[in-house]
Amino acid sequence: MKRTEAEPAIRHLTHQWAKVAGVAVGSAEQPSFSDFKRWADEQGYSSYFSFRSTMGALEDAERWFDEELRQTWRN
């Protein structure tokens, strides 16, 4: 998997997970990236978290997760 392929997929999956988990974009609660990652793995999307990255694939994925849910204020 290439980073350029993984990013749009993870951003899309973030919104799918948020809908299933009942998490509102921009809410004051702090959505769990770990819960999202576990859900994605269970859905068969673990390959999206395996790509080359300077920061690390999981760090990039968590940043995209936070950006999509408007949670970057936590970082």
Side-chain angles (χ1 to χ4, degrees):
M1 174 74 47
K2 292 184 178 180
R3 185 179 188 275
T4 56
E5 298 167 326
E7 181 176 358
I10 290 172
R11 289 181 182 275
H12 176 74
L13 288 172
T14 296
H15 291 282
Q16 284 188 310
W17 172 81
K19 190 173 189 178
V20 168
V23 173
V25 173
S27 74
E29 63 186 89
Q30 295 184 1
S32 170
F33 177 74
S34 297
D35 289 349
F36 164 68
K37 173 71 168 70
R38 189 175 312 109
W39 173 85
D41 289 345
E42 290 169 358
Q43 302 302 309
Y45 298 116
S46 59
S47 64
Y48 290 122
F49 297 88
S50 182
F51 55 88
R52 293 180 68 176
S53 168
T54 303
M55 295 275 303
L58 289 180
E59 287 78 7
D60 282 344
E62 186 168 7
R63 182 171 40 85
W64 300 331
F65 173 84
D66 288 342
E67 287 173 359
E68 289 302 308
L69 296 179
R70 296 188 188 124
Q71 295 291 317
T72 54
W73 56 270
R74 298 187 310 157
N75 299 331

